[in-house]
Amino acid sequence: MIIAERKPIGEILDMIRDCDRVLLLGCRGCVTVCSAGGEREVEILASLLKLGRKKEGRPVEIVEGTLVRQCDREYIAGLAQWDGQYDAVLSMACGVGVNFIANLRPATVVFPAVNTSFFGGSATQGVWTEQCAGCGNCILHLTGGLCPVARCAKSLMNGPCGGSQNARCEINPNVDCVWQLIHDRLGRINRAEQMLQIAPIRDWQSAGHGGPRQVVRDDLIV
Amino acid sequence: MSEFIPDIKAFCCHYTSQQTCADNGENLQKSGFPGNVSLHRVPCTGKLQVSTLLKAFEEGADGVYVVGCPVNKCHNVKGSQRAAKRVAAVQKALGELAVEPERIRMYHLERGFHPEFVAAAQEMDKLVKALGPCPFKGEAQ
Ligand code: SF4
Ligand code: SF4
């Protein structure tokens, strides 16, 4: 899922400094699962913003709402229920949600309340780690299911760099060297010979280096 | 200038506060428990949400504290540990808003009615009196 984290309160207060009424909009998708922007977080941020503004002596009205998702047209249409009730939308969805509101609501002012961090999963309760970088040309079948694009600091494709030490990455001794993990895992699953396969120079266009990407499924378009 | 009497809200679990409510709270009054501390009982402090604690400030509290079981002796195993984490989250948020984080505190106390329960209330009362009215009341400026 997409992992996000709430921005510092001061930064958010600064964004909404000119607003008297704000629609604080959560999302029931990924940001609910990673506890960054679901209904519960909307409630907390609403309190914090009201307290912060009260302290400044300029109270703000916060309208709380949560959509099923903010990355689909039909749910964004649901914004109409709050028409006329706010000066700006403060979205707690990932950046996709904020972009969708900006795309579909030309006259609506929208701000991001979270920093969209990465694609990842919950390693243990309260800890999320990056696992995939959405490179658009997956090679996990060659690397034992462990991603060197997202999990190697240099996105190396042909084994570890010279800095790999004691199974740790040279950027930080607390970070696993994913190439060590790949090596060990391929050995365990009797596919060690895959380490010898040379990965060709990659075309990174599919990873976004060729501009914004899109997926078109003609069979779904009527 | 009249003396500042802080509005302090205490959230206590069923177990740490059960005796305090006996005898219509008479024992509590006699013990020196400050009258400006209001008790809010919850089945377990682990049930307290960050938003509940923030609402207490929205409703005008100058100080808030939570009383749960001793860290490793919680009736609900980890309830008071969870509460302590949420109190810490509110402390961090208060800090971000440039308000004294000490305005909210976690206490881990033995169950039942004993002097420490009263001492915690007196300690918070003294601390918040020294801090003055909560800036969230918008009166400071
Ligand atoms: S190879 Fe690309 S698509 Fe596959 S997991 Fe890594 S970043 Fe994601
Ligand atoms: S030490 Fe390993 S993970 Fe770190 S940059 Fe080198 S190869 Fe990549």
Side-chain angles (χ1 to χ4, degrees):
Chain A
M1 74 186 132
I2 293 178
I3 310 300
E5 197 179 8
R6 195 192 68 218
K7 281 179 173 287
I9 301 160
E11 189 181 340
I12 302 174
L13 280 170
D14 195 40
M15 288 178 208
I16 63 161
R17 66 188 175 281
D18 300 331
C19 305
D20 297 321
R21 298 172 311 163
V22 171
L23 171 60
L24 184 55
L25 194 64
C27 172
R28 295 215 175 95
C30 304
V31 290
T32 290
V33 184
C34 71
S35 301
E39 226 152 329
R40 185 173 285 181
E41 291 73 33
V42 164
E43 207 182 348
I44 293 170
L45 184 58
S47 274
L48 290 171
L49 295 175
K50 280 186 269 179
L51 288 170
R53 283 287 287 266
K54 231 170 144 195
K55 178 168 173 264
E56 291 172 19
R58 302 184 308 124
V60 64
E61 191 189 317
I62 307 280
V63 181
E64 297 176 37
T66 303
L67 297 178
V68 175
R69 285 195 292 277
Q70 293 186 29
C71 53
D72 270 312
R73 300 179 75 97
E74 52 267 53
Y75 297 120
I76 298 295
L79 267 177
Q81 67 189 290
W82 296 288
D83 276 353
Q85 293 180 41
Y86 58 84
D87 305 324
V89 177
L90 180 59
S91 168
M92 297 201 81
C94 72
V96 179
V98 179
N99 274 271
F100 257 60
I101 293 171
N103 291 341
L104 298 168
R105 307 267 310 193
T108 299
V109 178
V110 59
F111 301 125
V114 305
N115 287 323
T116 305
S117 308
F118 50 77
F119 302 162
S122 174
T124 55
Q125 197 176 337
V127 178
W128 292 270
T129 53
E130 184 167 17
Q131 305 292 321
C132 165
C135 77
N137 188 8
C138 194
I139 48 111
L140 289 180
H141 54 301
L142 302 174
T143 57
L146 303 171
C147 176
V149 180
R151 299 172 64 181
C152 164
K154 297 168 189 161
S155 296
L156 295 180
M157 290 295 118
N158 281 296
C161 71
S164 177
Q165 292 220 5
N166 306 319
R168 302 294 183 200
C169 174
E170 70 172 348
I171 59 146
N172 184 333
N174 297 319
V175 174
D176 289 325
C177 168
V178 78
W179 272 109
Q180 180 78 49
L181 296 178
I182 293 168
H183 169 271
D184 296 350
R185 186 166 151 74
L186 287 175
R188 272 198 306 273
I189 59 175
N190 296 321
R191 288 168 182 264
E193 77 286 351
Q194 276 180 213
M195 283 297 287
L196 301 174
Q197 202 170 320
I198 308 285
I201 291 173
R202 266 185 82 129
D203 176 355
W204 289 99
Q205 281 187 77
S206 66
H209 298 210
R213 296 165 282 174
Q214 64 173 356
V215 171
V216 180
R217 278 276 305 274
D218 210 35
D219 57 317
L220 299 177
I221 303 170
V222 256
Chain B
M1 209 180 105
S2 60
E3 194 203 353
F4 164 56
I5 308 285
D7 173 351
I8 297 176
K9 297 192 198 304
F11 292 90
C12 315
C13 78
H14 178 73
Y15 304 96
T16 50
S17 65
Q18 56 190 343
Q19 296 304 319
T20 58
C21 303
D23 317 316
N24 287 326
E26 263 175 43
N27 280 339
L28 196 62
Q29 278 172 16
K30 279 191 224 142
S31 68
F33 193 90
N36 53 320
V37 176
S38 57
L39 284 177
H40 305 264
R41 296 178 80 202
V42 288
C44 171
T45 52
K47 192 84 185 91
L48 277 171
Q49 297 297 334
V50 170
S51 54
T52 311
L53 301 172
L54 290 172
K55 288 250 156 60
F57 283 106
E58 277 191 64
E59 284 160 11
D62 295 293
V64 173
Y65 70 96
V66 176
V67 184
C69 302
V71 177
N72 294 317
K73 285 198 272 175
C74 177
H75 182 82
N76 294 309
V77 190
K78 289 193 172 178
S80 64
Q81 291 179 35
R82 278 187 226 287
K85 290 282 184 158
R86 290 175 190 153
V87 166
V90 176
Q91 283 176 330
K92 184 165 171 267
L94 295 188
E96 278 192 72
L97 290 166
V99 166
E100 305 89 345
E102 311 89 275
R103 287 188 186 273
I104 183 162
R105 225 182 131 160
M106 179 78 204
Y107 288 91
H108 295 277
L109 301 180
E110 294 292 340
R111 294 178 203 181
F113 190 46
H114 46 75
E116 285 80 6
F117 189 83
V118 177
Q122 289 170 339
E123 184 178 60
M124 271 312 275
D125 185 38
K126 196 169 156 212
L127 182 106
V128 179
K129 269 187 182 139
L131 290 174
C134 186
F136 292 140
K137 290 178 158 176
E139 291 162 5
Q141 272 81 12

